[in-house]
Amino acid sequence: MVIPTYNRAELLRHTLGALARQTLPLDEYEVIVVDDGSDDHTAEVARSFESRLNLRYIFREREGYRAAKTRNVGIWQARAEICVLFDCGVLPHSGCLAAHLDSHRDTDRPVAVTGYVYCYNFNNDDADLMNRTIDVTDPDATIALLAEKRLWLDMREDFYTKYGDDYDYLPAPWMNYWTCNVSARTDQLRRVGGFDEDFTAWGAEDIDLGYRLHRDGARFVLNRAAAAIHCPHDKTEDGNNAEADANYKKMAAKYRTPITRLLLSIPDVHFFNLNDVISLRGMPACAEYTAARSSR
């Protein structure tokens, strides 16, 4: 379990509190908190959980926005065979980690698992109401309420309804690999190079990783039992979108395949419609296209 953080001490407290209530025995999972140069009381909060979790706290000097590099520090420090990647401020259900592990058992092919995330949105709509509804001391009860009332479902729910929870058959399943709540084999994460540390602004570093996991043979699935709540926090949709658009351009230039070039069409082509565009145009799979070019 790798959690990057920067100056969000109280959100980190909530995340670690939820991790301390997992159904897995404490000796079966580790928590690595990688601090990207916080100057608040993040270190104090992290260390206060050392008696309740198998926790390692790693501090690195601030270099600006370095989420990719910060996550890589944790991935390369991980001792477990499966690496779960969370954001700070994500509150997992007590069975979340066990559900992630279930998806990786009894399969010869590596799996890239996406967990279900309530209350996540880009523009912080209903943030105040969400915060009044979320009981940070009891994520299980909150998740049960949100599921029953169908409140603030995972913003990818329409995608899952359309394509199903086992959507690996799509040409670009990696578009949904958002690292607020995902997992993959640690050795595969290292084999594909981890996160690309050239991404130094918000967005796209996670789907870039997902793209490389896909090309390396990972099967993409949703596990709804690996559920969590994404606590609202300050953010600006316009600012995030501008940074993500720049990173999409970087990713398109990096791979130069017909499919990755479609990222340049966002937002004119909706993020969740790209798989339909790929299929309608009969585009070659990225791995096939790369192989064809290299054989010339």
Side-chain angles (χ1 to χ4, degrees), residues 239-253:
N240 283 353
N241 285 344
E243 292 182 356
D245 288 345
N247 283 343
Y248 293 147
K249 292 176 182 176
K250 182 178 294 187
M251 188 173 167

Side-chain angles (χ1 to χ4, degrees), residues 3-19 21 33 35 38-46 48-49 52 87-92 131 134-137 229-233:
I3 305 169
T5 190
Y6 172 67
N7 277 356
R8 288 180 176 162
E10 293 310 307
L11 286 177
L12 179 64
R13 187 190 306 278
H14 301 329
T15 297
L16 296 180
L19 286 171
R21 292 187 287 269
V33 176
D35 187 343
S38 297
D39 56 13
D40 62 358
H41 56 294
T42 290
E44 176 186 345
V45 167
S48 71
F49 281 87
R52 299 171 58 190
D87 279 346
C88 181
V90 169
L91 310 181
N131 280 323
I134 296 168
D135 182 352
V136 297
T137 68
I229 303 162
H230 191 285
C231 290
H233 55 79

Side-chain angles (χ1 to χ4, degrees), residues 23-269:
T23 57
L24 282 181
L26 286 177
D27 61 355
E28 292 187 13
Y29 66 101
E30 61 180 352
V31 178
I32 303 173
V33 176
V34 187
D35 187 343
D36 195 20
S38 297
D39 56 13
D40 62 358
H41 56 294
T42 290
E44 176 186 345
V45 167
R47 288 174 175 142
S48 71
F49 281 87
E50 288 177 339
S51 62
R52 299 171 58 190
L53 289 166
N54 177 15
L55 184 142
R56 279 183 285 160
Y57 170 75
I58 302 169
F59 181 88
R60 55 181 307 276
E61 294 295 335
R62 185 71 175 166
E63 301 176 72
Y65 185 94
R66 295 291 186 275
K69 187 172 185 177
T70 302
R71 288 189 176 102
N72 279 346
V73 170
I75 290 169
W76 261 264
Q77 290 286 327
R79 299 175 183 135
E81 292 183 3
I82 304 300
C83 195
V84 180
L85 302 170
F86 269 14
D87 279 346
C88 181
V90 169
L91 310 181
H93 186 279
S94 62
C96 182
L97 294 187
H100 272 286
L101 291 182
D102 285 343
S103 289
H104 291 276
R105 288 194 178 101
D106 301 323
T107 176
D108 294 331
R109 182 180 171 188
V111 182
V113 182
T114 297
Y116 198 84
V117 183
Y118 291 88
C119 298
Y120 182 80
N121 57 33
F122 286 135
N123 54 12
N124 250 9
D125 287 342
D126 294 337
D128 290 341
L129 183 56
M130 286 180 187
N131 280 323
R132 292 197 298 272
T133 304
I134 296 168
D135 182 352
V136 297
T137 68
D138 194 349
D140 288 12
T142 302
I143 288 171
L145 173 67
L146 298 177
E148 178 187 0
K149 302 294 186 182
R150 295 190 64 78
L151 291 172
W152 306 307
L153 302 178
D154 193 309
M155 63 182 302
R156 298 161 289 189
E157 181 58 45
D158 287 346
F159 178 96
Y160 298 137
T161 299
K162 181 176 181 178
Y163 298 113
D165 293 359
D166 191 355
Y167 53 89
D168 185 66
Y169 65 91
L170 293 173
W174 40 270
M175 294 293 293
N176 268 14
Y177 200 68
W178 302 355
T179 46
C180 52
N181 177 14
V182 298
S183 64
R185 292 192 60 86
T186 306
D187 59 356
Q188 188 181 33
L189 288 170
R190 293 171 179 166
R191 184 168 64 248
V192 303
F195 289 89
D196 183 341
E197 296 180 9
D198 286 339
F199 286 87
T200 57
W202 185 90
E205 80 279 354
D206 44 9
I207 65 168
D208 176 84
L209 174 63
Y211 175 78
R212 284 179 281 115
L213 290 173
H214 177 62
R215 287 175 58 169
D216 194 59
R219 181 172 67 88
F220 283 71
V221 299
L222 165 69
N223 188 332
R224 292 177 181 268
I229 303 162
H230 191 285
C231 290
H233 55 79
D234 292 338
K235 56 188 172 183
T236 60
E237 181 179 16
D238 290 343
N240 283 353
N241 285 344
E243 292 182 356
D245 288 345
N247 283 343
Y248 293 147
K249 292 176 182 176
K250 182 178 294 187
M251 188 173 167
K254 176 181 174 181
Y255 299 109
R256 295 186 298 160
T257 69
I259 287 178
T260 56
R261 279 199 292 268
L262 280 178
L263 296 172
L264 300 175
S265 303
I266 298 172
D268 295 329
V269 175

